[in-house]
Amino acid sequence: MNKPRWPQAARSLALALLVASTAVAQDARDTAAETKSHAEMVRRLGEIAIEAKSIHKYHGDQAAKQLWAQLEQLGDNADWKLRLDAALAHMRLANTKAAIEILQKASDEMRAGRLKGGLDEASSIVFYLGMAYMRQAETENCCARSTAESCILPLRGEAIHTKTEGATKAIPCFELVVANRPANDYWHLSARWLLNIAHMTLGTWPDGLKEERRMPIDALQSQFPLPHFKNVASKTGMDMFAMLGGVIVDDFDGDDDLDVLLSLWSADGAMRYFRNDGDGTFSERSREANLTGITSGINMFQADYDNDGDLDVVILRGAWLYNNGRHPNSLLKNRGDGSFVDASLAAGFGETAFPSSQADWSDIDNDGDLDLYVGNESTPKIHSPCHLFRNEGDGTFVDIASEAGVENLGYTKGVSFGDYDGDGLADLFVSNLASENRLYHNLGGNKFENVAPKLKMEEPIASFPTWFWDYDNDGKLDLFVAAYSTGVGHVAGHHLGIKVADSTYDYMKLWRGDGKGGFTNVAKEMGLDYPALPMGANFGDLDNDGWLDFYLGTGDPYYYNLMPNLMYKNMAGKKFADVSMAGGFAHLQKGHGVSFADFDSDGDLDVYSVMGGAYVGDPAYNTLFENPGFDNHWLCIQLVGTESNRSGIGARIHAVITENGKTRSVYRHVNSGGSFGANPLRQTIGMGKATKIDRLEIHWPRTGKTQTFENVTPDRFVRITESSNKIQTVPLKQTKIGG
């Protein structure tokens, strides 16, 4: 079955092995163990890539070919379910035309009475036929001629489709489902939402749609007039057209400006490294970075694990693939110039192979080096315990998850460290899909206790991204947990004020911390009782007002979940306002890795998002939303630990400012942000209209000591070294994105 692909795959693998092994062999900075580790990892990943072409749950064609063979054998005797499954298999593998042919024939035969099926069966066939036509429309327009406005609600300008066949043929399909399903039925609401989207793509919304079918105008309006962030990804060359994956934005080559590392979930997907050229442009340097043969993963996180002054990277693989996802993760050791060697096996890291999607770095034992928690995906039938890799300080790691009590046999989808009770020890929150969440209180001595049941913090049961932050600037860590139990029908129902029948789902949680170990869920009063399906998510201060905002990338494998990505503005810690539409963030394609970062060194944060779905047939272009600027003051701080870990992870920053005659505080907890996508470890302190920081305090995690600086001048990038009484200004040249 796979013979035609094997020769080319073998040649590609051989070339990757040759290039990668030669590169490491010639680099004197690598130890013999690291050279061996790199070459062996390239070999293993090459084998996995070949195997995945057939058995990968989302990208492989083995199951699809079996369905097509059954359909061909049975012909007109095939039932509706086999026809639907075979068509969807075509769609997943980008054979949209074949899917349409199968579904159209099934629909015609049902109407003629030649194919058995009731209302539910007929609705399913017609709904997915409409969805196949919508995918045709996306492929011919948004993919073939992507623009800065493509797929961003409200659809306008160049987002309007020029090839109209797909959406035009989708409309009667969705109309039929809407007409034949109850108004509070999930599929009625899903079809109604997609019907509105189809009309928008044609420029016929709202007038071309019956009033009783329209979504309300306020569904396309923001709760606050945020200025528009333009999508400028195409100007950078980083508008990858691909499926889901991760992103890290940080300084990997030590020149102080921000580079970009991109990953792809596909088992044979290449890692992509873009070096910042310092003039607003980026150059791909993946081969020079020694990434040839090091395949991507669903997610990545950076930290200086060996305290040598440069940022290393962990790559996570195998997520969503169950037993077929037993892929090794990678630990990429930075050579100091933005090139890497895969030191996984040399470090005692790469022999474990479970489906992994989330991780976080922290110094759990306050010994001055960073440890790593890796979240794996367990099911009732698949035992995949999570890892807590203790850093031995000599470049190696030991898994102590079992003895520490943090194995967490759940389907892990979010991981975040934070000292929520202020005792000087990093605690751990783990978000699980389909089981209770865990809040592991650090007891010291590498021992943890799950206190989530006691604190009643196990919900939402279906959850995904999570992070510790201080959203209300009271100096006490809070916790965000995203819910993952809704779909496009629930979004439509929310805007229409209709509760979906026979449906239970939960909203995101915002746990406000009291600094003593207690939490209260304030999501509803903060305006976050909103159905969404977030995968990618992260946070940052968009307007430099000192209050942290956040972005939810709404991703789900199913094609019909065309839901807008969401941006929430923090209204001075009192409420979050949905500014997705006004800000230009309401992209309909599936959002995954997210990073808030200052790409052009002008002091405000831009937003990069990895777009595209899980299936081969559902790619999209990544986005980079350029910040228009808000004329507020700021200070960007890079911490350098000497006794604490070099990255400064776990340090707390407290800035006291006076704005409009009132004194207030801004707090930051040093990490890379949310649990799907990584911000730079440097922290941007928004100051609003304050012209100086009256007092700046840095609380270091290992020693518990606090550095204090008075009357700090803003609007610059600075470096603060632990125990130093000086603030070093780092000169950065402001650039224009794209040059």
Side-chain angles (χ1 to χ4, degrees), residues 1 388 583 648 708 739:
M1 185 183 300
L388 178 56
T708 302

Side-chain angles (χ1 to χ4, degrees), residues 266-341:
S266 168
D268 60 354
M271 292 289 297
R272 306 283 297 276
Y273 173 63
F274 293 88
R275 187 187 69 191
N276 192 324
D277 294 327
D279 58 0
T281 65
F282 294 78
S283 302
E284 185 173 356
R285 293 290 187 268
S286 306
R287 183 179 63 83
E288 293 85 348
N290 197 36
L291 295 176
T292 305
I294 303 297
T295 53
S296 293
I298 195 169
N299 213 349
M300 309 175 292
F301 298 94
Q302 83 279 24
D304 185 0
Y305 80 88
D306 51 2
N307 286 328
D308 65 352
D310 45 56
L311 292 174
D312 316 294
V313 176
V314 60
I315 305 173
L316 306 171
R317 302 188 179 97
W320 296 106
L321 302 181
Y322 305 101
N323 270 328
N324 291 331
R326 297 186 180 275
H327 302 168
N329 299 321
S330 280
L331 180 65
L332 301 184
K333 179 182 176 181
N334 195 327
R335 293 165 165 168
D337 59 359
S339 70
F340 302 89
V341 59

Side-chain angles (χ1 to χ4, degrees), residues 34 305-306 333 346-347 369 390-398:
E34 291 167 350
Y305 80 88
D306 51 2
K333 179 182 176 181
D369 48 39
R390 184 182 67 202
N391 193 329
E392 299 295 277
D394 59 0
T396 66
F397 292 82
V398 175

Side-chain angles (χ1 to χ4, degrees), residues 108-128:
D108 293 343
E109 292 188 3
M110 269 190 173
R111 285 198 300 270
R114 296 192 299 271
L115 181 63
K116 292 182 179 180
L119 179 60
D120 288 347
E121 290 80 6
S123 294
S124 294
I125 293 292
V126 173
F127 178 86
Y128 283 104

Side-chain angles (χ1 to χ4, degrees), residues 125-142:
I125 293 292
V126 173
F127 178 86
Y128 283 104
L129 176 60
M131 196 63 245
Y133 279 125
M134 284 295 286
R135 189 57 204 168
Q136 175 190 332
E138 290 174 313
T139 301
E140 293 176 344
N141 293 275
C142 315

